[in-house]
């Protein structure tokens, strides 16, 4: 028997993806749980393009209930649909920025009712769970893969589409820190539509409620450096206990790793976030030498070479020991 996370689909190029999109009269676009600006921006951009072609389209993510505050001004938000209202039978379901079917959360069951499923993604660890899969693990963001689709599909990139796509590009590149030749050309193309890149970036990456500051104070107080971990390349980690993050959204907690990973003495950074009794979601980052996608996949998660995550079970000592063992 083939499990839903095992590869069984066909890899398609952008033209194959366009053929699927052109053939569909009803489409569901699904973003991953705990959406970031790449999954939501990509999902909304694709939905706007479909809506303009007269296609009946819904966009959804399974959890949490509300759109993160920083993303509420993204164009296309009117196409967002409550999970319970997402249709079961559609011509095409498109999953954006999801490395596994599990990232769809409770909406994973909608895969069954779709005549075709298209996975559009850039995660190195993608399991190719669609009937058709467009995966470019060299792309900086799923938004970048979508631009290739739009170009092949003759979609005009106007301000609304550019806003959504820029949101994914600026966040997944860490404000253009992790780039390749052509990244800035794409950014220039999007900015040429007249969007306010500074305002979009500030809303997504540089705006926090005041409560973020005392949370950081508590969490950074737990920071621990393990110089001999990762074969001597060094590990730095911090813990976000549940009491630290009361009243804060997931996106506020996600930002902690971006501070922890600046530690000069450590190649690998980890932030353990307590989500239940003895249950932690773990964010991993590396700089140059350690492939944290491999580490996270070995621990039941996934991600990219330099940014990944997984779920850990146990007390503080156990989860740290488990990570150290996997890092070597
Ligand atoms: Mn992404």
């Amino acid at each position: 028997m083939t499990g839903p996370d095992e590869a069984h689909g066909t890899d398609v190029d952008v033209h194959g993806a366009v053929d699927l999109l052109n053939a569909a009269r009803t489409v569901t676009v699904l973003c991953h749980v705990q959406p970031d600006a790449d999954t939501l921006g990509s999902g909304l951009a694709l939905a706007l393009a479909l809506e303009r072609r007269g296609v009946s389209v819904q966009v959804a993510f399974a959890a949490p209930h509300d759109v993160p505050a920083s993303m509420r001004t993204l164009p296309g938000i009117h196409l967002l649909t409550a999970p319970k209202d997402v249709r079961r039978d559609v011509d095409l379901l498109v999953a954006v920025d999801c490395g596994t079917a599990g990232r769809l959360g409770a909406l994973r069951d909608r895969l069954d009712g779709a005549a075709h499923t298209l996975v559009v993604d850039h995660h190195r660890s993608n399991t190719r769970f669609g009937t058709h899969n467009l995966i470019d693990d060299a792309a900086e963001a799923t938004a970048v893969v979508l631009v290739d689709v739009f170009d092949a599909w003759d979609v005009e990139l106007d301000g609304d589409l550019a806003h959504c796509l820029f949101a994914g590009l600026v966040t997944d590149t860490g404000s253009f820190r992790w780039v390749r030749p052509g990244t800035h050309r794409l950014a220039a193309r999007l900015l040429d539509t007249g969007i306010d890149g500074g305002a979009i970036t500030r809303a997504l990456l540089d705006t926090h409620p005041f409560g973020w500051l005392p949370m950081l104070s508590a969490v950074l107080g737990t920071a621990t450096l393990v110089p001999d971990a990762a074969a001597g390349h060094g590990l730095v980690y911090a813990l976000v206990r549940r009491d630290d993050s009361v009243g804060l959204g997931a996106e506020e907690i996600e930002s902690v790793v971006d501070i922890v990973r600046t530690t000069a003495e450590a190649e690998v950074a980890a932030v353990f976030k307590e989500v239940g009794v003895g249950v932690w979601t773990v964010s991993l980052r590396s700089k140059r030498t350690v492939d944290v996608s491999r580490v996270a996949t070995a621990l039941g998660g996934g991600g990219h070479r330099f940014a990944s995550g997984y779920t850990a079970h146990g007390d503080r000592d156990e989860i740290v020991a488990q990570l150290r063992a996997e890092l070597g």
Side-chain angles (χ1 to χ4, degrees), residues 3 33 58:
V33 292
Q58 297 180 319

Side-chain angles (χ1 to χ4, degrees), residues 32 36 38-39 97 121-123 140-143 168 172 304:
H32 63 68
D36 60 20
D38 189 30
T39 193
D97 203 43
D121 189 30
H122 69 126
H123 289 90
E140 310 89 313
T142 295
D172 269 28
H304 307 282

